[in-house]
């Protein structure tokens, strides 16, 4: 760029920071960020989020703290994505010290999502108090784009689940489902043939979503007397996927289904999809423990 006398602008600098960060090259991402500041170009919030994500992925918590401080000093307001990144880091903290540090950063953002978590009530007998709390917060966030809301809800449910607040996690999920935050999580492919899609979720959110969705099927069966003919549970890596390795979501889902003796199985050539069908599925769905699977 210098040889051609090109002067990078904010989008170009931001793209370079983002690309090197996603490539795992922290040093080059940081270097381009510094070059951006040196050129007198003000980073925007997405660029800050990109570099913040880069630091958090490699557990550079102190650098993330300094970056957040710089962001605030420049008068930029942390976004919903900023808070989501920090909450996910807190959930995956390698130590209580890391979790505490991330918690401090979350508070420093001043984002309403932090007060939502801090004021989360303990679930009452029917969970309605948590659902009301979640409903009010999501109403407050109505102007945010769907992807940002999806990311936050995924992080919140995952955090609650892994913190042992599984009743609260289930109630938050139910509200998010009602508000269509995860529009592809459940759909009817054809008459009585349903698809539960978990592949865009964290493992804590996936098992919560699956548990509450299966409980919903049970409730519908008890009311109508009719059950689904088939349910497919997609955990991410299907027949056409070129990804290899083990999916954390698949492992978590498989463990949950096995613990409760479910009739779901994987079809040949598609290990990422669990299939349940026929009378065996319906006999299992009406069992009382299906209503409480999310508490495991």
């Amino acid at each position: 760029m210098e040889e051609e006398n090109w002067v990078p602008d904010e989008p170009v600098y931001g793209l370079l920071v983002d690309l090197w960060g996603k490539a795992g090259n922290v040093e080059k991402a940081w270097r381009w960020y510094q070059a951006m500041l040196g050129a007198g170009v003000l980073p925007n919030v997405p660029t800050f989020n990109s570099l913040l994500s880069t630091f958090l992925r490699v557990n550079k918590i102190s650098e993330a703290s300094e970056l957040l401080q710089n962001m605030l000093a420049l008068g930029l307001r942390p976004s919903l994505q900023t808070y989501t990144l920090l909450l996910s880091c807190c959930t995956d903290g390698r130590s209580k010290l890391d979790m505490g540090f991330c918690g401090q950063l979350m508070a420093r953002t001043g984002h309403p999502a932090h007060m939502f978590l801090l004021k989360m009530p303990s679930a009452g007998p029917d969970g309605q108090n948590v659902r009301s709390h979640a409903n009010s917060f999501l109403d407050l966030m109505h102007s945010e784009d769907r992807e940002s809301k999806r990311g936050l809800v995924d992080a919140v449910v995952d955090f609650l689940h892994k913190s042992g607040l599984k009743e609260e996690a289930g109630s938050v999920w139910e509200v998010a489902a009602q508000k269509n935050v995860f529009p592809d999580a459940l759909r009817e492919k054809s008459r009585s043939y349903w698809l539960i899609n978990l592949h865009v979720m964290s493992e804590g959110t996936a098992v919560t979503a699956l548990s509450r969705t299966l409980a919903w099927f049970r409730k519908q069966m008890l009311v109508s007397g009719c059950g689904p003919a088939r349910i497919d549970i997609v955990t991410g890596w299907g027949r056409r996927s070129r990804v290899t390795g083990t999916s954390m979501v698949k492992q978590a889902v498989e463990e949950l289904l096995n613990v409760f003796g479910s009739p779901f199985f994987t079809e040949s050539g598609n290990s990422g999809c669990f299939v349940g069908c026929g009378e065996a599925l319906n006999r299992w769905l009406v069992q009382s423990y299906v209503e409480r699977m999310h508490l495991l």
Side-chain angles (χ1 to χ4, degrees), residues 46 49 79-82 84 111 137-138 140-153 179-183:
N49 287 343
S79 66
L80 195 60
Q81 294 94 325
T82 311
T84 299
H111 198 279
F137 173 70
L138 288 177
L140 181 66
M141 295 290 106
H142 74 278
S143 61
E144 296 281 353
D145 64 274
R146 177 177 284 167
E147 186 62 23
S148 296
K149 286 188 286 190
R150 186 203 64 76
L152 178 71
V153 170
K179 290 185 173 293
N180 206 32
V181 175
F182 290 80

Side-chain angles (χ1 to χ4, degrees), residues 29 48 61 68 75 79 117 212 224:
F48 272 107
I61 306 297
L68 180 61
S79 66
L117 269 184
R212 299 317 297 148
S224 68

Side-chain angles (χ1 to χ4, degrees), residues 24-251:
N25 195 320
V26 181
E27 290 73 21
K28 285 195 174 181
W30 175 249
R31 197 179 306 156
W32 279 111
Y33 169 75
Q34 292 287 69
M36 188 178 194
L37 295 179
V41 179
L42 179 67
N44 61 14
V45 174
T47 297
F48 272 107
N49 287 343
S50 178
L51 190 55
L52 181 66
S53 176
T54 299
F55 284 145
L56 294 176
R57 277 199 301 271
V58 294
N59 206 40
K60 289 183 175 290
I61 306 297
S62 59
E63 288 85 348
S65 176
E66 181 181 346
L67 183 67
L68 180 61
Q69 192 61 42
N70 291 343
M71 182 181 184
L72 296 172
L74 289 171
L76 296 174
R77 294 182 60 185
S79 66
L80 195 60
Q81 294 94 325
T82 311
Y83 190 83
T84 299
L85 288 169
L86 293 170
L87 178 57
S88 296
C89 177
C90 184
T91 303
D92 298 331
R94 300 177 186 178
S95 67
K96 289 186 177 180
L97 182 62
D98 285 349
M99 292 177 67
F101 211 162
C102 284
Q104 292 175 25
L105 297 185
M106 287 156 60
R108 279 163 56 187
T109 65
H111 198 279
H114 194 59
M115 292 308 297
F116 164 67
L117 269 184
L118 286 181
K119 293 186 176 182
M120 177 74 67
S122 297
D126 62 355
Q128 183 55 47
N129 58 335
V130 176
R131 288 193 292 274
S132 296
H133 183 63
N135 191 69
S136 297
F137 173 70
L138 288 177
D139 283 347
L140 181 66
M141 295 290 106
H142 74 278
S143 61
E144 296 281 353
D145 64 274
R146 177 177 284 167
E147 186 62 23
S148 296
K149 286 188 286 190
R150 186 203 64 76
L152 178 71
V153 170
D154 180 63
V156 167
V157 175
D158 192 44
F159 171 78
L160 293 172
H161 176 84
K162 291 176 179 176
S163 299
L165 301 174
K166 297 181 180 181
E167 194 76 80
E168 290 80 358
S171 294
V172 171
W173 166 260
E174 288 173 5
V175 173
Q178 290 168 5
K179 290 185 173 293
N180 206 32
V181 175
F182 290 80
D184 300 320
L186 178 66
R187 67 183 178 90
E188 192 172 16
K189 294 182 69 174
S190 59
R191 184 175 176 80
S192 294
Y193 178 5
W194 293 84
L195 177 69
I196 301 175
N197 191 347
L198 309 174
H199 88 275
V200 297
M201 304 176 192
S202 303
E203 58 266 28
T205 305
V207 296
T208 300
L210 175 60
S211 299
R212 299 317 297 148
T213 303
L214 292 173
W216 176 82
F217 276 114
R218 177 179 184 272
K219 186 180 297 184
Q220 298 303 308
M221 285 184 65
L222 294 177
V223 171
S224 68
C226 298
R230 171 170 169 158
I231 298 176
D232 288 0
I233 303 169
V234 177
T235 61
W237 299 347
R239 184 177 289 110
R240 297 178 182 85
S241 176
R242 296 182 180 179
V243 180
T244 58
T246 303
S247 162
M248 296 297 291
V249 168
K250 184 201 169 189
Q251 283 186 332

